[in-house]
Structure formats: C-alpha cells, structure tokens
Amino acid sequence: MIGVVEFFWPRLSRPTTLQLEDQASKQTHDLQLIKDAKWDTHTEIALECARALHEQETERKRSSESKASIYLAVIAAIFPVLVSLPKDLYGGELPEMSAGWQTVLLGLFVVGVVYLVRSGIWAFRTLAVSTHNRIDATDIVHLWGEPDANSALIRDLLVTTRMNRDGVNAKVAFIKMAHAFLLRTFIAFAILLLVAVLRQPITNLVDAAVPMVRATVCG
C-alpha cells in the first residue's frame, strides 16, 4: 500500500530524533579521526585526494542548485501555458460535457498543477541558503604559520568536506524530489491531452454500443 501511495505522491522520509543524534555522533567521530590522523608520509598524494574530495562535494552542491534553477525556469515557462490550457482544449465545450468527463478532465488538470507546484517548492528548498564550510583567506594564513602547512591543509580540507556532506546530501535529496514531482507533472498532462483527443471517439463508441447492448439484453 505504501508503494502505491509513494508512486502517486513521493515523500521524503524525515530522520527520527535517534537518527539525527546518530548522524551528529558519526560526524563528530569522523572529524576526530581526521584531526588525529598523521599526514607526514605521502603528503602530496593525500593533499591531491583531499582537494579532489573537496571539489567533488562542492560540485555536488553546485550541480543540485543548477538543476533546481533549470527546473524553476521550466515551471515558470509552463505556468502561462496552463492558464490557457482548458480554454484552448475545449473552449465553450466544457460546460456541455457530462459530469463524468468534466470530473476526469478537471481532475487531471488539478493533479498536474499540484504536482507542478510541489516540484517548484522542492526546487526552492534546494536553492535555499544553507551553511557551507570552506577554507578562507585567513585560514590559509594561519595554516602556513603551522610547522607542517601541507598536513594542516589536508586536515582542514577533509574537515570542511565532512562538515558539508550532510547539507549537500539534503540538497541532493530535495532536487530528487523536485525531479520526481516534475516527472509526474508531465505524465499527468500527457494523460490529460490523450483523454482530450480520445474523448469524442470514446463518446461516439459508447453511444453506438449502448443501443446494441440494450437490444441484445432485451432480445
């Protein structure tokens, strides 16, 4: 049952208090490991790896926010089309349709709009300002005042990378939700257009079939 609900309405599971505490504890443990590690051997390799990891984490954040901007641009472009969609599809025919067809068509339209709005909300959450740690100019100055500047730089790169991980993971989760709702938006409107095209043939087919069925039953 949960799978069916998730199919029509994706949800992002919220961590429990215990999970949050475990997450914080793990981060503290990881940071302590980084600070206690010794980088006096193969320092150049370790520094290269630390830089690569730091850049990957920054790129994940940048990529998520870039996708969110694109999604918002798509949503902004779709909304004007939606305003005129019912009129363009049916004109004055909508009031003359049966209650069943009106319910199906308007229901699909409302569902598509709700999906679209929800996608926009998740995209905005992805773009929301959040804490992002980095090594600043003054940090570099202090690092080069230490006995082993390269080892200190490795340590700070890995520390900032680890501290940024949870925030970046959240942004990645948010953009995945935005994508899931935007995908369902296009599916909903694709079905709406399909129903709009097939409505009249289906109506004609039903109108032709009903007398035949009645005649068969009565006969």
Side-chain angles (χ1 to χ4, degrees):
M1 181 62 184
I2 295 178
V4 175
V5 174
E6 289 285 345
F7 178 81
F8 288 100
W9 191 261
R11 290 181 295 181
L12 184 63
S13 58
R14 296 183 178 181
T16 63
T17 303
L18 186 61
Q19 288 174 327
L20 289 174
E21 291 176 353
D22 182 65
Q23 190 178 53
S25 176
K26 190 174 187 308
Q27 176 175 294
T28 302
H29 177 263
D30 291 347
L31 292 177
Q32 194 60 49
L33 282 178
I34 293 170
K35 293 175 182 178
D36 292 342
K38 304 299 181 182
W39 308 103
D40 50 359
T41 59
H42 305 294
T43 305
E44 294 301 324
I45 296 175
L47 181 57
E48 182 180 349
C49 292
R51 284 172 175 165
L53 286 172
H54 188 269
E55 182 57 31
Q56 287 173 10
E57 205 67 18
T58 303
E59 181 58 31
R60 283 209 306 150
K61 176 179 180 290
R62 189 184 299 119
S63 176
S64 297
E65 293 178 344
S66 176
K67 289 178 181 178
S69 299
I70 294 172
Y71 287 175
L72 287 174
V74 171
I75 292 169
I78 290 176
F79 258 112
V81 178
L82 293 183
V83 172
S84 60
L85 183 61
K87 183 178 178 180
D88 292 341
L89 284 177
Y90 307 110
E93 296 181 20
L94 189 59
E96 301 174 2
M97 292 182 192
S98 65
W101 280 117
Q102 288 188 31
T103 301
V104 171
L105 295 171
L106 292 178
L108 286 170
F109 181 79
V110 170
V111 167
V113 171
V114 170
Y115 280 152
L116 189 65
V117 170
R118 195 60 181 164
S119 177
I121 291 173
W122 283 111
F124 273 118
R125 290 189 67 181
T126 306
L127 289 174
V129 177
S130 59
T131 302
H132 188 76
N133 301 278
R134 66 171 189 171
I135 299 177
D136 209 346
T138 54
D139 298 319
I140 297 293
V141 173
H142 291 304
L143 288 174
W144 252 249
E146 297 193 16
D148 189 347
N150 281 343
S151 295
L153 181 57
I154 293 169
R155 179 197 65 213
D156 282 13
L157 281 171
L158 293 177
V159 165
T160 54
T161 299
R162 181 62 184 88
M163 291 179 68
N164 288 333
R165 183 188 300 169
D166 293 338
V168 174
N169 285 345
K171 285 182 177 289
V172 172
F174 294 161
I175 198 61
K176 285 182 178 180
M177 293 298 294
H179 176 81
F181 276 103
L182 192 59
L183 176 62
R184 284 159 178 77
T185 299
F186 285 111
I187 292 175
F189 285 118
I191 295 174
L192 174 62
L193 293 175
L194 185 63
V195 171
V197 171
L198 297 179
R199 178 185 63 84
Q200 195 58 51
I202 291 175
T203 301
N204 295 339
L205 182 62
V206 171
D207 291 342
V210 167
M212 297 175 59
V213 173
R214 287 178 178 173
T216 303
V217 172
C218 293

